[in-house]
Amino acid sequence: MAAAHPLPTPSGTAELSDRDAEILAFERQWWKYAGAKETAIRELFDMSATRYYQVLNALIDEPAALAAEPMLVKRLRRMRSVRQRERSARRLGHDL
């Protein structure tokens, strides 16, 4: 039962699960073709691309992820913010 919940580190933040660490390692890779990444997501993580990105977005908000992979997590957060701003701008542009 204790294995299901990672033990806190001395700083008080939880450690990454094996799956979370694997997702961050996977995100360090670069993909030339979107379809290749979606196929790899299904094969490696046994989940849809939509679910993977939901998990990833929650993961990059975790302090443990930032502690483990600071540059990657900050890059992913920046990319997410840009996409959110672009979506908002498109919505506002269509509503005018």
Side-chain angles (χ1 to χ4, degrees):
M1 186 168 200
H5 302 290
L7 297 174
T9 60
S11 66
T13 60
E15 292 182 16
L16 290 176
S17 69
D18 289 343
R19 183 190 73 166
D20 290 346
E22 290 169 6
I23 288 173
L24 291 176
F26 183 77
E27 280 300 312
R28 279 195 303 269
Q29 300 176 44
W30 293 93
W31 300 90
K32 288 186 179 182
Y33 308 105
K37 185 173 183 180
E38 276 69 32
T39 300
I41 288 168
R42 275 191 300 281
E43 291 173 1
L44 293 172
F45 301 108
D46 193 31
M47 64 177 82
S48 69
T50 300
R51 179 68 185 137
Y52 172 83
Y53 287 111
Q54 290 170 340
V55 170
L56 177 63
N57 276 310
L59 175 60
I60 64 175
D61 288 331
E62 293 292 325
L66 182 62
E69 295 284 346
M71 291 180 66
L72 174 66
V73 169
K74 288 177 185 178
R75 178 176 60 86
L76 292 171
R77 287 177 178 178
R78 275 192 313 272
M79 291 169 55
R80 178 178 64 185
S81 292
V82 167
R83 284 191 303 271
Q84 287 171 337
R85 280 194 302 271
E86 289 172 350
R87 277 194 302 273
S88 293
R90 279 195 307 269
R91 256 180 278 160
L92 290 173
H94 291 295
D95 291 341
L96 294 177

